[in-house]
Amino acid sequence: MASELNSDLNNAAQRLAGALAKRNLRIVFAESCTAGLVSATLAQVPGISQWHCGSAVVYREATKSAWLAIPPAMIEKHGVVSAETAQLMAAGVLQF
């Protein structure tokens, strides 16, 4: 089962890399629940550094606030696992 999951992830990473290259786009991640899995999987694709800018893996609320400029009041209001917080994480990582 684990090898099947790894194969699926690697295939998805290959497809994403191809799509980024085809469209000449770059990608950056702000990850929490995934613990950096998305970035780590994509990083296994040869030549991906041309398209993959990096990842901020932020678990703690204080880290989300410090690194991605998410107001603590927003986290308190919506929680760390919410659409609102995820949107702010995405916007915050784009500031780097």
Side-chain angles (χ1 to χ4, degrees):
M1 176 95 101
S3 65
E4 186 177 314
L5 176 60
N6 285 338
S7 178
D8 289 346
L9 289 174
N10 290 333
N11 288 337
Q14 291 286 343
R15 287 191 311 273
L16 177 56
L20 293 169
K22 182 178 180 180
R23 293 172 180 82
N24 197 30
L25 296 174
R26 293 190 181 114
I27 196 164
V28 63
F29 299 99
E31 298 183 71
S32 185
C33 297
T34 58
L37 178 62
V38 177
S39 181
T41 301
L42 190 59
Q44 294 177 32
V45 175
I48 196 61
S49 62
Q50 186 171 352
W51 317 112
H52 181 14
C53 298
S55 177
V57 180
V58 290
Y59 257 52
R60 298 183 70 214
E61 291 178 18
T63 308
K64 286 177 174 65
S65 294
W67 291 10
L68 302 177
I70 300 175
M74 183 65 106
I75 293 173
E76 187 174 320
K77 179 177 180 181
H78 297 285
V80 291
V81 181
S82 67
E84 293 82 3
T85 299
Q87 288 171 348
L88 288 176
M89 288 175 62
V93 80
L94 290 173
Q95 299 307 309
F96 287 101

